Amino acid sequence: MDVYGKRIFINELALILTDNTMEQIDIIKQIEEFYNSAWDKLIITGSIIFAVFGIIIPFVFQFMQNRILRLQEKEIRINTQEQLEQLKLELQQEIRKEYQEEIKKITEEFDKKSQGLKGMGLHLQGNSHLQAKKYKNATYDFLYAFKLYLIGEDFKNLSTIADLLLKSCFPNITKEDLIDIFQKTDMTIEDYFNQLKEIDKNKHSQTIILDLKYNADKLKIK
């Protein structure tokens, strides 16, 4: 091979080597770009994952926890309010019941005292009739004064009335007089004494009532 041929061979070989080198450089660049792109994507993905698990999820968890706590507090307040309202209602009902019971007691006591005062009026009127020897009128007054004293639980005056009937009135009237006294009020002797027994629920005056009835039944007949 002459000198010219050698030079041509060398130039062709250099050209081939240059082409291979350029191709290798392109491959290296592509590989480098791939890794750079992959690394960038890895960083971005890692950042997103960190943001999700490190910031967003704790924030969401905290938000849900606060929401649950607020709901629980609201439920507690509602329950407490309901309990307070229930206690308030029960207290009002208890006070109303006690008030009504107290009013009932006062009313009953007033009625008793009122009946006792009416009995006292008849008692005084009967005394006047007795002094005037109007025994039938006195008997009428004393019998109804006895009933009113029994309602009013004035047992002291009731005992006094019983003595006046037994010792001063009954010896001076007849059975017909007594029947006539009760007929004026559309009542029989039996009705009157049954009423006395019903009024005397605690049986404080049963002995006196029975004694009066016994002597009333024994009154003389015309």
Side-chain angles (χ1 to χ4, degrees):
M1 182 180 297
D2 57 11
V3 176
Y4 179 75
K6 290 180 180 179
R7 186 175 296 172
I8 292 173
F9 175 77
I10 291 171
N11 288 336
E12 289 179 356
L13 179 61
L15 183 61
I16 292 170
L17 290 175
T18 300
D19 291 339
N20 289 336
T21 300
M22 291 299 296
E23 185 176 349
Q24 290 176 358
I25 290 173
D26 289 339
I27 292 172
I28 291 171
K29 285 183 178 180
Q30 290 177 4
I31 293 172
E32 183 179 2
E33 288 176 358
F34 170 78
Y35 279 109
N36 287 337
S37 176
W39 179 253
D40 291 340
K41 291 179 179 178
L42 180 62
I43 291 175
I44 293 171
T45 303
S47 299
I48 293 172
I49 293 172
F50 174 76
V52 170
F53 288 96
I55 299 175
I56 296 175
I57 289 180
F59 175 79
V60 172
F61 178 77
Q62 184 67 32
F63 173 80
M64 293 300 296
Q65 190 176 40
N66 291 337
R67 180 64 176 169
I68 292 170
L69 287 174
R70 284 197 296 271
L71 289 173
Q72 289 176 343
E73 290 175 358
K74 184 177 180 180
E75 183 178 0
I76 290 171
R77 285 197 300 270
I78 291 172
N79 290 337
T80 302
Q81 185 66 28
E82 288 177 351
Q83 291 174 358
L84 288 174
E85 290 297 328
Q86 182 64 29
L87 288 173
K88 182 179 177 181
L89 180 61
E90 290 176 359
L91 182 60
Q92 289 175 343
Q93 291 175 343
E94 185 177 348
I95 292 173
R96 188 179 296 110
K97 183 179 179 182
E98 291 178 356
Y99 174 78
Q100 290 173 345
E101 289 176 353
E102 192 63 27
I103 290 296
K104 183 179 178 182
K105 289 179 182 178
I106 293 172
T107 302
E108 289 176 352
E109 191 64 28
F110 176 80
D111 288 341
K112 288 179 181 179
K113 296 296 182 183
S114 177
Q115 295 300 316
L117 290 173
K118 289 179 182 179
M120 193 173 292
L122 286 171
H123 187 168
L124 294 173
Q125 183 174 287
N127 285 339
S128 298
H129 286 142
L130 188 62
Q131 289 176 359
K133 295 184 179 181
K134 295 179 180 180
Y135 298 111
K136 185 176 178 180
N137 291 336
T139 301
Y140 176 90
D141 292 334
F142 289 151
L143 284 171
Y144 286 96
F146 185 94
K147 180 179 177 181
L148 293 171
Y149 280 147
L150 188 62
I151 295 172
E153 297 182 353
D154 187 346
F155 301 113
K156 182 178 179 181
N157 280 321
L158 182 144
S159 180
T160 300
I161 289 287
D163 285 340
L164 289 170
L165 284 167
L166 292 171
K167 295 176 181 179
S168 301
C169 293
F170 283 0
N172 295 293
I173 64 171
T174 64
K175 187 69 170 286
E176 286 77 11
D177 290 331
L178 189 61
I179 292 172
D180 185 58
I181 287 171
F182 287 115
Q183 282 181 342
K184 291 178 180 179
T185 55
D186 195 23
M187 187 183 298
T188 65
I189 296 173
E190 195 70 25
D191 291 337
Y192 172 79
F193 285 104
N194 285 336
Q195 284 186 3
L196 295 183
K197 290 177 183 178
E198 290 177 3
I199 293 169
D200 189 30
K201 294 178 181 178
N202 296 320
K203 301 186 182 302
H204 288 302
S205 305
Q206 287 297 301
T207 302
I208 297 175
I209 293 170
L210 290 173
D211 193 24
L212 279 176
K213 186 176 185 304
Y214 176 80
N215 283 276
D217 290 337
K218 295 296 183 180
L219 286 176
K220 60 187 178 183
I221 300 174
K222 283 183 181 179

